[in-house]
Amino acid sequence: MAQSTNTRELILEILLQITRDGEYCHIALKNALDQYQFLEKQERAFITRVVNGTLERMIELDYIIDQFSKVKVNKMKPVIRTILRSGVYQLKYMDSVPASAACNEAVKLAVKRGFGNLRGFVNGVLRNIGRNLSELRYPSEKDRLHYLSVRYSIPEWILEGWLLEYEEDTVRAMAEEFLRERPVTVRFHPDRISKAELLKILRAEGVCVKEEASLPYALHLSEFDYLMKLDSFRKGYYQVQDISSMQVAEWASPKEGDYIIDVCAAPGGKALHLAQMLRGTGHVEARDLTEYKVGLIEDNIRRSGMSNIEAVRMDARVKDDASVGKADIVIADLPCSGLGVLGRKPDLKYKMTYEVQQELAALQREILSVAAEYVKPGGILVYSTCTINREENEGNARWFAARFQEFRMLRERQMIPGRDFGDGFYIAMFRK
């Protein structure tokens, strides 16, 4: 597939925003695709594939580059190492891209970005790698941590923690699952449109649709260009949400007329799901900290057309006296390390540190302490995260049960990628 230099320039800029400037992958990619909506479907798919693939495989790509470059990756200029990383990804994982194109376009990029003096270096490294892909050396499996880190492009400190908590086969299954291509999972509103009608519309829009056996209102979408280009999405027939995340509302099982508070709701998937289950009755208050996050919730509420839900800007750490003892259900889907969603947000594994993970576990306890006060006697508190770290999950659930003895744990579950459906996700449900 022939690609213009401009397309690869855009890939370079997106990757630099993420790896050099600290932007989140899903935000940088969405902003770029929003801005360049005029690009052909094939070009947009190419951009998404190279950006996500380069991030997913970055530790492996660096390991490969270091075998063929006298200058190690961590000593290179950010532009040069990013050009080499995306070039090696294309060489190794994209058969549709000729090796000559990957090398030539990388050299052109280096020159365009003011590194003409390094054109020979970029060309030499990539062509050498391209000629020797079948001869690449990988760490010995005897050096377990290093091998798994390079093989699956996961930092060693994360793997070390997982291996203390899970069997090695489980860790490998999770790591492999994170590298698999996956469809977009959505939840549709059965009261607004029937499944048969929605399937017909989606297929007419050129979307490949697979039904989800475990939940009648869940669908898996693929082979579409851009979600906002789909009239069915703009009309609010469905909301992007993972299967594991849908379990929160399933577990909470609201009854008509319930008052529900979601303390960290953005972008609003769980809150909207609960409002849908109330069938036009009751009320859901979807709270979050920043104007930006509240705006995301409001956008999704508008698309949904539901009136029994509102978005409110509020700090979940600060007690709202007016809410004490008022809620039938409180949802505490809290900020976490996000290590259960690496298949969708591959950059998180490079941004997260052990120290930040510890801080997040403490923040979760702080928010849980406040959220507990909003539950009325007989009411439900659902605690959830999108991680697989036991300190943030089972550890905090045990802490909460010991600290707030007026609550009784009803059930809990850790969902594991590669073993269970959907993302890595944890849910614990308590009754007051």
Side-chain angles (χ1 to χ4, degrees):
M1 177 179 67
Q3 291 291 324
S4 68
T5 303
N6 285 340
T7 301
R8 284 187 167 86
E9 279 188 88
L10 185 52
I11 290 169
L12 173 60
E13 190 53 44
I14 295 169
L15 285 170
L16 285 171
Q17 287 176 24
I18 298 162
T19 60
R20 181 192 64 193
D21 304 335
E23 184 57 276
Y24 285 103
C25 172
H26 64 288
I27 294 175
L29 196 52
K30 180 183 182 300
N31 289 345
L33 295 179
D34 283 349
Q35 185 177 350
Y36 294 91
Q37 293 184 38
F38 58 84
L39 291 173
E40 294 293 329
K41 177 180 177 180
Q42 199 174 18
E43 285 187 299
R44 297 161 66 82
F46 181 81
I47 290 167
T48 302
R49 169 85 186 275
V50 177
V51 168
N52 283 333
T54 301
L55 293 169
E56 286 169 352
R57 305 275 185 176
M58 199 159 70
I59 292 175
E60 180 192 19
L61 299 175
D62 288 357
Y63 183 83
I64 292 170
I65 294 167
D66 280 346
Q67 290 182 47
F68 294 90
S69 172
K70 291 180 180 178
V71 180
K72 300 308 177 188
V73 170
N74 62 357
K75 298 293 185 182
M76 293 177 186
K77 298 286 187 184
V79 169
I80 297 300
R81 69 168 164 249
T82 305
I83 290 172
L84 288 175
R85 283 168 173 167
S86 61
V88 175
Y89 177 76
Q90 293 167 59
L91 288 170
K92 189 168 188 337
Y93 289 106
M94 297 185 72
D95 293 338
S96 61
V97 180
S100 58
C103 296
N104 292 339
E105 297 299 337
V107 171
K108 289 178 186 177
L109 268 182
V111 173
K112 274 205 166 189
R113 296 302 291 255
F115 293 94
N117 60 319
L118 294 176
R119 63 194 304 167
F121 170 74
V122 170
N123 185 60
V125 170
L126 288 178
R127 290 194 183 279
N128 202 5
I129 291 172
R131 285 192 300 266
N132 292 281
L133 280 173
S134 61
E135 308 299 324
L136 292 175
R137 302 187 312 274
Y138 283 86
S140 167
E141 290 201 48
K142 292 179 181 177
D143 187 354
R144 184 173 63 160
L145 268 184
H146 190 39
Y147 169 79
L148 292 174
S149 178
V150 172
R151 169 68 180 80
Y152 299 110
S153 283
I154 295 175
E156 289 188 15
W157 77 267
I158 294 177
L159 289 166
E160 190 171 22
W162 290 352
L163 288 166
L164 289 173
E165 297 175 350
Y166 301 103
E167 297 292 330
E168 184 172 336
D169 286 348
T170 300
V171 172
R172 285 177 181 258
M174 289 193 292
E176 286 173 2
E177 183 66 22
F178 289 141
L179 293 175
R180 286 198 182 97
E181 191 173 349
R182 58 178 59 199
V184 172
T185 303
V186 301
R187 172 183 49 76
F188 73 91
H189 195 332
D191 291 343
R192 291 196 64 187
I193 189 167
S194 70
K195 179 185 282 190
E197 186 181 359
L198 181 55
L199 290 174
K200 183 179 178 181
I201 291 171
L202 286 166
R203 286 167 181 155
E205 291 178 309
V207 181
C208 177
V209 189
K210 291 187 178 179
E211 298 181 50
E212 167 57 42
S214 65
L215 292 171
Y217 49 74
L219 300 170
H220 304 290
L221 314 184
S222 60
E223 298 181 20
F224 59 91
D225 177 9
Y226 179 47
L227 209 55
M228 282 302 295
K229 278 190 175 181
L230 298 178
D231 192 47
S232 55
F233 178 75
R234 294 195 302 271
K235 287 181 176 177
Y237 291 150
Y238 50 87
Q239 170 76 29
V240 175
Q241 190 177 6
D242 191 73
I243 292 291
S244 55
S245 172
M246 296 180 201
Q247 299 302 310
V248 168
E250 286 286 326
W251 282 34
S253 189
K255 61 184 183 299
E256 293 187 13
D258 275 353
Y259 174 58
I260 301 170
I261 298 174
D262 187 342
V263 297
C264 296
K270 300 173 190 67
L272 285 161
H273 192 183
L274 288 158
Q276 173 188 316
M277 294 175 79
L278 291 174
R279 303 181 68 85
T281 70
H283 189 73
V284 178
E285 192 167 303
R287 301 175 176 178
D288 222 304
L289 179 62
T290 66
E291 187 175 338
Y292 170 73
K293 289 187 173 184
V294 170
L296 292 177
I297 302 169
E298 288 174 339
D299 287 344
N300 283 319
I301 291 174
R302 277 192 291 271
R303 279 195 320 102
S304 77
M306 288 188 286
S307 59
N308 61 340
I309 178 172
E310 65 174 327
V312 178
R313 185 176 177 183
M314 193 172 294
D315 188 338
R317 299 169 298 177
V318 179
K319 183 171 73 172
D320 172 36
D321 289 332
S323 300
V324 173
K326 297 289 180 65
D328 297 286
I329 298 170
V330 172
I331 304 298
D333 182 64
L334 301 187
C336 69
S337 56
L339 299 182
V341 295
L342 298 183
R344 292 189 289 109
K345 299 178 180 179
D347 55 319
L348 293 182
K349 58 190 173 185
Y350 311 117
K351 296 182 190 301
M352 186 51 53
T353 66
Y354 176 76
E355 290 73 24
V356 171
Q357 193 176 63
Q358 297 292 109
E359 291 169 7
L360 285 165
L363 174 62
Q364 291 155 9
R365 292 193 292 271
E366 184 180 358
I367 296 174
L368 282 170
S369 297
V370 175
E373 299 212 36
Y374 301 152
V375 185
K376 64 168 59 171
I380 294 291
L381 171 70
V382 182
Y383 169 51
S384 63
T385 75
C386 57
T387 193
I388 47 185
N389 170 33
R390 284 185 175 159
E391 185 174 6
E392 297 174 81
N393 296 343
E394 292 97 327
N396 271 348
R398 300 291 176 272
W399 172 87
F400 182 82
R403 176 81 178 270
F404 296 90
Q405 295 187 7
E406 67 273 28
F407 284 86
R408 178 171 61 89
M409 182 186 284
L410 301 178
R411 58 193 292 209
E412 68 174 329
R413 183 176 181 185
Q414 175 69 67
M415 285 161 265
I416 299 294
R419 185 192 72 186
D420 303 313
F421 46 74
D423 291 330
F425 204 85
Y426 174 78
I427 312 179
M429 185 164 71
F430 301 85
R431 185 181 299 281
K432 189 172 185 177

